[in-house]
Amino acid sequence: MNEPALLAEWIIEQVSDALIYADREGRIVRWNLAAGELFGHGANDALGHSLDLIIPPHLRAAHWAGYDLAIANGTTKLHGRPTLTRAAHKDGRKLYVEMTFALVKDADGHAIGSVAMARDVTARVEKERAARSGHATSP
């Protein structure tokens, strides 16, 4: 492996945010260590599987409508801005995650997949909701 490719691999594996790359059909092709920690699935469990692995069932229809449109149009609705969404952990817990999305395009500009960076914000969201409802939570 050449030096830039090796460096890119080290970066992907060592960033603290989950990095997930899925192909045009939404099959997971790249899954870093942080993704495994966040969602509970190791790379061997995730690679080759649908993104449904981490998408709660009630959000799947909306997710796939947006995903398919982004792939077809070559642009995302959020244009790289982070969004708060729900995700599913392997053990069944529901997570709040902040995610950014980008399309990955080939040399001709055609979308070949999508990459997402995600971080767990469950504790922050639950604390904010408790504060708004007047119920303080312990740190």
Side-chain angles (χ1 to χ4, degrees):
M1 189 178 290
N2 66 29
E3 181 99 8
L6 186 57
L7 177 60
E9 189 61 26
W10 289 342
I11 291 168
I12 289 168
E13 280 306 314
Q14 295 177 37
V15 294
S16 57
D17 287 342
L19 180 139
I20 304 150
Y21 170 74
D23 64 14
R24 292 180 60 88
E25 288 75 39
R27 283 186 309 265
I28 299 167
V29 175
R30 192 64 175 85
W31 182 268
N32 73 353
L33 290 171
E37 292 170 9
L38 176 57
F39 299 108
H41 300 275
N44 289 340
D45 295 331
L47 295 174
H49 291 275
S50 167
L51 289 168
D52 284 347
L53 189 70
I54 61 171
I55 302 168
H58 71 281
L59 296 178
R60 290 178 185 165
H63 164 81
W64 290 114
Y67 192 92
D68 292 342
L69 187 63
I71 293 290
N73 291 342
T75 186
T76 64
K77 183 174 72 170
L78 296 168
H79 305 288
R81 291 185 311 272
T83 187
L84 178 67
T85 191
R86 298 301 303 255
H89 189 277
K90 181 179 181 177
D91 67 10
R93 285 183 288 137
K94 300 295 184 239
L95 305 168
Y96 285 99
V97 293
E98 191 169 72
M99 300 186 92
T100 56
F101 301 93
L103 291 176
V104 176
K105 297 179 181 180
D106 64 15
D108 295 323
H110 299 108
I112 59 170
S114 175
V115 64
M117 297 288 288
R119 67 177 44 160
D120 187 357
V121 294
T122 304
R124 184 191 81 203
V125 170
E126 289 176 350
K127 185 176 180 180
E128 289 170 356
R129 289 190 172 177
R132 281 195 303 272
S133 69
H135 296 66
T137 60
S138 54

